[in-house]
Amino acid sequence: LEGRVRQVDATIAIGGITHPLVCTDPPYYDNIGYADLSDFFYVWLRRSLSRVYPELFSTVLVPKAQELVATPYRFEGDKEKARQFFETGLGKAFERMRAAHHPDYPLTIFYAFKQAEAEEETDAEDSEDADGSAAASTGWETMLAGLIKAGFGVTGTWPMRTENKSRMVGQGTNALASSIVLVCRPRPESAPLATRREFVAALKKELPDALKALQHGNIAPVDFAQAAIGPGMAVFTRYAKVLEADGTPMSVRTALQIINQELDTYLAAQEGEMDGDTRFCLAWFEQHGMDEGAFGEADVLARAKNTSVQGLVDAGVLSARAGKVRLLKRTEYEKDWDLPTGQAGPAEDRRLTVWECTQHLILQLNTKGEEGAALLCRRLGGGRSEDARALAYRLYSICERKGWAEEALAYNALVVSWPAIQERAARLATTGRQSELF
């Protein structure tokens, strides 16, 4: 097949091709200004190639006026004008795609914009189960709003590992590892209306299974919230409109906030299946991190979780001294806990907790790599290991919300390494030669 390349304005035309298949990676609101970055290279290329390609290098710098980004400085610092320019242009592009796209095939959109914007809820109607805050992303909101306005509905989601871990922006940060591919088709003209209550009920029914499938596919915690948008918006976009109690259409921002709340509910439900000591550690970690707190506060929380402060100390996860309590750091855990000859290993631990198992797995991964973590997984057994992996998702969510980047990286790394750890653990089960690892 002959390949042809054209440069056209997507808000005006889609290349003059009859029924094209569209697979696109739209601009990320104000996240990256590619035209500005291109100036660095353009001035040198222009110097050497302007006589060869005079039309391409006819300007002194890269043209920027038509670039679809919401950068206020191009509008004299006016954020509202920048937002309107971006929304209008993206909406026109999606409308052109809707009109030209081949009717027998889906449109696919790659998107890797991280949700990082939190808003305090001021309207009680923003959420039926609000816990005081909800997260939404302007980048996601604007892209999805344009998609829906153009008449598309989301019918599927494919998280794809597209980002290079060694790229500069990913070094030592919680940068996304995957792009979320939204599979879209034109929304049927016969799509029904729904109330807010019907939308939330459908979300509660369908989203948990979709989230389980994502976890089963070992989606990284850093990508989990982004991946959840796909199945959530698949529910939202199946309706012509979702109506609020006052009859007004629900905004995409509100829908994203509800989806994120259901994601938190799903992770919290997994927590409810764990032992009382682990549930105490989770609650204390969310409130205090690894810092100290008052003994009285810990005692009240421990009773609520059906455990005790002394029991947690005996379990080896808590320090209680001079009226102060804190969670033990991983570096303070038993040194020989992972060894087959250890006196305080999993089999000998009289009060084994999911929290302790998770911390030891991370410790092994950090010190002895995937082989060491695999050996410990083998000793813990499949059920306890999978509980530790589920806890890592929950802990990452807390760290991300609190801004504890270094701790978040540890939990993300455990899940990302999980397939390799499990593969090595399975090999150990076959060979039975665990001692060869050390």
Short mmCIF file of all heavy atoms in Angstrom, two decimals, residues 15-46:
data_model
loop_
_atom_site.label_atom_id
_atom_site.label_comp_id
_atom_site.label_asym_id
_atom_site.label_seq_id
_atom_site.Cartn_x
_atom_site.Cartn_y
_atom_site.Cartn_z
N GLY A 15 -8.35 15.81 5.74
CA GLY A 15 -7.47 15.34 4.67
C GLY A 15 -8.13 15.03 3.35
O GLY A 15 -7.48 14.55 2.43
N GLY A 16 -9.41 15.28 3.19
CA GLY A 16 -10.07 15.03 1.92
C GLY A 16 -10.23 13.57 1.57
O GLY A 16 -10.47 13.23 0.41
N ILE A 17 -10.10 12.66 2.56
CA ILE A 17 -10.22 11.22 2.32
C ILE A 17 -11.65 10.78 2.62
O ILE A 17 -12.24 11.19 3.62
CB ILE A 17 -9.24 10.44 3.21
CG1 ILE A 17 -7.80 10.93 2.97
CG2 ILE A 17 -9.33 8.95 2.96
CD1 ILE A 17 -6.80 10.35 3.95
N THR A 18 -12.19 9.93 1.76
CA THR A 18 -13.55 9.44 1.97
C THR A 18 -13.55 8.35 3.04
O THR A 18 -12.82 7.36 2.92
CB THR A 18 -14.13 8.87 0.66
OG1 THR A 18 -14.09 9.88 -0.34
CG2 THR A 18 -15.56 8.40 0.87
N HIS A 19 -14.34 8.53 4.08
CA HIS A 19 -14.49 7.57 5.17
C HIS A 19 -13.15 7.08 5.73
O HIS A 19 -12.83 5.88 5.66
CB HIS A 19 -15.33 6.37 4.73
CG HIS A 19 -16.75 6.71 4.45
ND1 HIS A 19 -17.47 7.60 5.22
CD2 HIS A 19 -17.61 6.28 3.47
CE1 HIS A 19 -18.70 7.71 4.75
NE2 HIS A 19 -18.81 6.93 3.68
N PRO A 20 -12.34 7.96 6.25
CA PRO A 20 -11.06 7.51 6.83
C PRO A 20 -11.27 6.80 8.16
O PRO A 20 -12.33 6.92 8.79
CB PRO A 20 -10.32 8.84 7.05
CG PRO A 20 -11.42 9.82 7.33
CD PRO A 20 -12.56 9.40 6.45
N LEU A 21 -10.26 6.05 8.60
CA LEU A 21 -10.23 5.51 9.95
C LEU A 21 -9.39 6.47 10.78
O LEU A 21 -8.25 6.76 10.42
CB LEU A 21 -9.62 4.11 9.97
CG LEU A 21 -10.32 3.04 9.15
CD1 LEU A 21 -9.60 1.70 9.32
CD2 LEU A 21 -11.77 2.91 9.55
N VAL A 22 -9.94 6.94 11.87
CA VAL A 22 -9.27 7.96 12.68
C VAL A 22 -8.74 7.34 13.97
O VAL A 22 -9.49 6.73 14.73
CB VAL A 22 -10.21 9.14 13.00
CG1 VAL A 22 -9.47 10.17 13.85
CG2 VAL A 22 -10.72 9.78 11.72
N CYS A 23 -7.45 7.48 14.18
CA CYS A 23 -6.81 7.11 15.45
C CYS A 23 -5.93 8.30 15.84
O CYS A 23 -4.98 8.62 15.12
CB CYS A 23 -5.97 5.85 15.27
SG CYS A 23 -5.10 5.34 16.76
N THR A 24 -6.26 8.97 16.92
CA THR A 24 -5.61 10.24 17.21
C THR A 24 -5.21 10.38 18.68
O THR A 24 -5.74 9.70 19.55
CB THR A 24 -6.55 11.42 16.81
OG1 THR A 24 -5.88 12.66 17.02
CG2 THR A 24 -7.82 11.39 17.65
N ASP A 25 -4.25 11.24 18.90
CA ASP A 25 -3.78 11.59 20.24
C ASP A 25 -3.99 13.09 20.37
O ASP A 25 -3.13 13.88 19.96
CB ASP A 25 -2.30 11.22 20.38
CG ASP A 25 -1.78 11.40 21.80
OD1 ASP A 25 -2.56 11.83 22.67
OD2 ASP A 25 -0.60 11.11 22.04
N PRO A 26 -5.12 13.53 20.91
CA PRO A 26 -5.45 14.97 20.91
C PRO A 26 -4.55 15.77 21.84
O PRO A 26 -3.88 15.20 22.71
CB PRO A 26 -6.90 14.99 21.38
CG PRO A 26 -7.06 13.76 22.19
CD PRO A 26 -6.18 12.74 21.56
N PRO A 27 -4.51 17.09 21.67
CA PRO A 27 -3.68 17.94 22.55
C PRO A 27 -4.17 17.90 23.99
O PRO A 27 -5.35 17.67 24.26
CB PRO A 27 -3.85 19.34 21.94
CG PRO A 27 -5.11 19.28 21.14
CD PRO A 27 -5.22 17.88 20.64
N TYR A 28 -3.23 18.11 24.92
CA TYR A 28 -3.49 17.95 26.35
C TYR A 28 -3.69 19.30 27.05
O TYR A 28 -2.93 19.67 27.92
CB TYR A 28 -2.34 17.19 27.01
CG TYR A 28 -2.22 15.74 26.58
CD1 TYR A 28 -1.16 14.97 27.01
CD2 TYR A 28 -3.16 15.15 25.75
CE1 TYR A 28 -1.04 13.64 26.61
CE2 TYR A 28 -3.06 13.85 25.35
CZ TYR A 28 -1.99 13.08 25.77
OH TYR A 28 -1.89 11.77 25.38
N TYR A 29 -4.69 20.03 26.62
CA TYR A 29 -5.09 21.28 27.26
C TYR A 29 -3.90 22.23 27.35
O TYR A 29 -3.41 22.70 26.34
CB TYR A 29 -5.73 20.99 28.62
CG TYR A 29 -6.58 22.14 29.13
CD1 TYR A 29 -7.78 22.44 28.52
CD2 TYR A 29 -6.19 22.91 30.21
CE1 TYR A 29 -8.57 23.50 28.95
CE2 TYR A 29 -6.97 23.96 30.67
CZ TYR A 29 -8.16 24.25 30.04
OH TYR A 29 -8.94 25.29 30.48
N ASP A 30 -3.38 22.49 28.55
CA ASP A 30 -2.24 23.41 28.69
C ASP A 30 -0.99 22.67 29.16
O ASP A 30 -0.02 23.28 29.62
CB ASP A 30 -2.57 24.53 29.69
CG ASP A 30 -2.90 23.99 31.08
OD1 ASP A 30 -3.04 22.75 31.23
OD2 ASP A 30 -3.02 24.79 32.02
N ASN A 31 -0.99 21.35 29.02
CA ASN A 31 0.08 20.54 29.61
C ASN A 31 1.41 20.67 28.86
O ASN A 31 2.47 20.78 29.47
CB ASN A 31 -0.35 19.08 29.65
CG ASN A 31 0.47 18.27 30.63
OD1 ASN A 31 0.94 18.80 31.63
ND2 ASN A 31 0.64 17.00 30.36
N ILE A 32 1.37 20.64 27.53
CA ILE A 32 2.59 20.68 26.73
C ILE A 32 2.37 21.62 25.54
O ILE A 32 1.44 21.42 24.77
CB ILE A 32 3.00 19.28 26.22
CG1 ILE A 32 3.26 18.34 27.39
CG2 ILE A 32 4.23 19.37 25.34
CD1 ILE A 32 3.52 16.91 26.98
N GLY A 33 3.24 22.60 25.39
CA GLY A 33 3.20 23.50 24.24
C GLY A 33 4.22 23.05 23.22
O GLY A 33 5.38 23.46 23.25
N TYR A 34 3.79 22.19 22.30
CA TYR A 34 4.74 21.62 21.35
C TYR A 34 5.34 22.68 20.42
O TYR A 34 6.51 22.59 20.04
CB TYR A 34 4.07 20.52 20.53
CG TYR A 34 3.82 19.26 21.32
CD1 TYR A 34 2.55 18.90 21.74
CD2 TYR A 34 4.88 18.42 21.64
CE1 TYR A 34 2.32 17.75 22.46
CE2 TYR A 34 4.67 17.26 22.37
CZ TYR A 34 3.38 16.93 22.77
OH TYR A 34 3.17 15.78 23.50
N ALA A 35 4.54 23.66 20.04
CA ALA A 35 5.06 24.70 19.15
C ALA A 35 6.18 25.48 19.83
O ALA A 35 7.20 25.81 19.19
CB ALA A 35 3.93 25.64 18.74
N ASP A 36 6.02 25.78 21.11
CA ASP A 36 7.08 26.49 21.84
C ASP A 36 8.35 25.64 21.92
O ASP A 36 9.46 26.13 21.74
CB ASP A 36 6.60 26.83 23.25
CG ASP A 36 5.52 27.90 23.24
OD1 ASP A 36 5.62 28.81 22.41
OD2 ASP A 36 4.58 27.82 24.05
N LEU A 37 8.16 24.34 22.23
CA LEU A 37 9.32 23.44 22.31
C LEU A 37 10.02 23.31 20.96
O LEU A 37 11.25 23.18 20.88
CB LEU A 37 8.88 22.06 22.80
CG LEU A 37 8.38 21.97 24.24
CD1 LEU A 37 7.81 20.58 24.52
CD2 LEU A 37 9.50 22.28 25.23
N SER A 38 9.24 23.36 19.88
CA SER A 38 9.81 23.17 18.54
C SER A 38 10.73 24.31 18.13
O SER A 38 11.60 24.13 17.27
CB SER A 38 8.68 23.04 17.52
OG SER A 38 7.88 21.91 17.78
N ASP A 39 10.56 25.49 18.72
CA ASP A 39 11.42 26.61 18.37
C ASP A 39 12.90 26.29 18.59
O ASP A 39 13.77 26.79 17.88
CB ASP A 39 11.04 27.85 19.20
CG ASP A 39 9.82 28.56 18.64
OD1 ASP A 39 9.53 28.35 17.45
OD2 ASP A 39 9.18 29.31 19.39
N PHE A 40 13.17 25.47 19.60
CA PHE A 40 14.57 25.13 19.91
C PHE A 40 15.25 24.47 18.70
O PHE A 40 16.40 24.75 18.38
CB PHE A 40 14.61 24.19 21.12
CG PHE A 40 15.99 23.72 21.48
CD1 PHE A 40 16.82 24.50 22.27
CD2 PHE A 40 16.46 22.50 21.02
CE1 PHE A 40 18.10 24.07 22.58
CE2 PHE A 40 17.75 22.06 21.33
CZ PHE A 40 18.56 22.85 22.12
N PHE A 41 14.51 23.59 18.04
CA PHE A 41 15.06 22.87 16.89
C PHE A 41 14.88 23.65 15.58
O PHE A 41 15.70 23.60 14.68
CB PHE A 41 14.40 21.49 16.75
CG PHE A 41 14.47 20.66 17.99
CD1 PHE A 41 13.42 20.63 18.90
CD2 PHE A 41 15.61 19.92 18.29
CE1 PHE A 41 13.49 19.88 20.05
CE2 PHE A 41 15.69 19.16 19.44
CZ PHE A 41 14.64 19.14 20.33
N TYR A 42 13.76 24.38 15.52
CA TYR A 42 13.37 25.05 14.27
C TYR A 42 14.43 26.05 13.81
O TYR A 42 14.76 26.13 12.63
CB TYR A 42 12.03 25.76 14.48
CG TYR A 42 11.50 26.48 13.27
CD1 TYR A 42 10.77 25.79 12.30
CD2 TYR A 42 11.73 27.85 13.07
CE1 TYR A 42 10.26 26.45 11.18
CE2 TYR A 42 11.24 28.51 11.96
CZ TYR A 42 10.51 27.80 11.02
OH TYR A 42 10.01 28.44 9.91
N VAL A 43 14.98 26.83 14.75
CA VAL A 43 15.93 27.88 14.34
C VAL A 43 17.18 27.27 13.70
O VAL A 43 17.76 27.87 12.78
CB VAL A 43 16.32 28.75 15.56
CG1 VAL A 43 15.13 29.57 16.02
CG2 VAL A 43 16.88 27.92 16.71
N TRP A 44 17.59 26.09 14.15
CA TRP A 44 18.76 25.44 13.56
C TRP A 44 18.40 24.77 12.24
O TRP A 44 19.18 24.83 11.27
CB TRP A 44 19.33 24.40 14.53
CG TRP A 44 19.80 25.02 15.81
CD1 TRP A 44 19.18 24.99 17.02
CD2 TRP A 44 20.97 25.82 15.99
NE1 TRP A 44 19.88 25.71 17.95
CE2 TRP A 44 21.01 26.22 17.34
CE3 TRP A 44 22.01 26.23 15.14
CZ2 TRP A 44 22.02 27.01 17.87
CZ3 TRP A 44 23.02 27.01 15.66
CH2 TRP A 44 23.03 27.40 17.01
N LEU A 45 17.25 24.15 12.17
CA LEU A 45 16.82 23.53 10.91
C LEU A 45 16.59 24.58 9.83
O LEU A 45 16.94 24.37 8.66
CB LEU A 45 15.53 22.73 11.15
CG LEU A 45 15.67 21.47 11.99
CD1 LEU A 45 14.29 20.91 12.34
CD2 LEU A 45 16.50 20.42 11.27
N ARG A 46 16.02 25.70 10.23
CA ARG A 46 15.75 26.77 9.26
C ARG A 46 17.05 27.30 8.67
O ARG A 46 17.14 27.60 7.48
CB ARG A 46 14.98 27.89 9.96
CG ARG A 46 14.55 29.02 9.02
CD ARG A 46 13.68 30.02 9.76
NE ARG A 46 13.16 31.02 8.86
CZ ARG A 46 13.75 32.19 8.59
NH1 ARG A 46 14.91 32.48 9.18
NH2 ARG A 46 13.21 33.05 7.77
#
